[in-house]
Amino acid sequence: IAGTILAALLPAAAVSAGRTWTAEYIWDRAPASELCAYTYFRKEITLLGPAPSPAAHITADSAYQLFVNGVFVGRGPVRSDLSVQFYDTYDLRPFLRPGENVIAVAVHFFGVGNERYLLGRGALLFESEISAEGTAPLLVKSDASWKTLRSTAWAASSPRENDSNGWLEIFDGRKEPVNWMLAGFNASSWGVPFIIGVPPQ
C-alpha cells in the first residue's frame, strides 16, 4: 500500500487554505441512529486512454476500504478529531485502464464512540481528477451519481470487543453481491446516495 500513497494524513481543516473540495459527503440513507453499519458504494467511469497522473482523495466516517476494478487500493482514515477529519491520497495509475473502470468503496460506520473514535455520522467523501491522454480531465467525485447498497454480508448484530474498541467482524461472503467491484455489474436495483454536503459540512 505504501507505494500507492502520494500523501496521507492531511488535515481536512486545511481544506479552506489548501484543498477546496467539490465532492459531497454521501451516505446510503438520511440521518438515523444505527450501529455497526456497512455500506457499498460504486461509480463506473470510462477512460478513452491511459491516465498519466490520477490522484484520488478519500475519507469516510468511520472507516473505508477502497478498490479500483476489484483490486484493493487502501484503507483508512487514521483516527482524528471531527473538526480536523483526515483524508488519504492515492495514486491510481496501477489500477486504472482504458475503457470501463469501477471505483468501489466499502464503508463501515461504527455508530458508537470509543477510546479510539469520536462519534460522527456515516459518510463517504471521494474526489479524483483523472486526465486521460488526449481528453479533457474527468472529475470523479462522490455525489448523487454514485450507486449504493447497505451490506448484509457483515453482521450488524456483531458484539463489541470491549468498551474501548470497536466491533468484532463477522462476514458471510455468500451474502456479498458477486463482482460488485467490477465493470458490467448490474447495479440497477441499488439506491442513490443521500447527500450530506460539501466540506466543511
Side-chain angles (χ1 to χ4, degrees):
I1 297 173
T4 68
I5 298 178
L6 294 177
L9 314 187
L10 303 177
V15 165
S16 59
R19 174 168 185 76
T20 300
W21 295 83
T22 60
E24 299 168 295
Y25 276 109
I26 59 176
W27 192 233
D28 68 334
R29 60 193 63 192
S33 177
E34 50 189 350
L35 294 174
C36 195
Y38 287 84
T39 298
Y40 305 121
F41 295 90
R42 72 188 310 273
K43 172 71 174 178
E44 290 200 26
I45 60 174
T46 301
L47 300 179
L48 301 181
S53 57
H57 315 286
I58 182 173
T59 191
D61 192 336
S62 310
Y64 71 83
Q65 294 183 63
L66 171 65
F67 304 84
V68 176
N69 295 321
V71 180
F72 176 73
V73 177
R75 69 174 69 232
V78 299
R79 61 181 178 176
S80 60
D81 186 276
L82 295 177
S83 64
V84 285
Q85 177 74 16
F86 290 140
Y87 67 91
D88 304 308
T89 299
Y90 297 95
D91 180 357
L92 298 186
R93 281 176 296 179
F95 312 102
L96 294 172
R97 60 196 180 209
E100 298 299 316
N101 293 266
V102 176
I103 310 296
V105 188
V107 177
H108 180 201
F109 175 57
F110 301 159
V112 63
N114 56 45
E115 292 182 3
R116 301 168 53 195
Y117 166 73
L118 296 175
L119 179 61
R121 57 166 301 172
L124 168 67
L125 184 70
F126 178 94
E127 187 167 299
S128 178
E129 185 173 286
I130 302 174
S131 298
E133 293 180 0
T135 62
L138 174 64
L139 180 61
V140 182
K141 60 180 182 176
S142 49
D143 57 19
S145 68
W146 287 53
K147 301 292 286 185
T148 183
L149 178 72
R150 177 61 58 93
S151 174
T152 59
W154 281 277
S157 59
S158 172
R160 290 180 66 180
E161 295 178 2
N162 51 55
D163 290 342
S164 300
N165 295 319
W167 306 93
L168 295 175
E169 186 175 7
I170 302 175
F171 177 78
D172 186 344
R174 298 170 298 179
K175 297 180 180 180
E176 180 161 271
V178 177
N179 295 330
W180 73 275
M181 304 176 191
L182 302 179
F185 174 80
N186 183 2
S188 60
S189 63
W190 289 31
V192 296
F194 175 83
I195 303 300
I196 299 170
V198 177
Q201 174 66 33

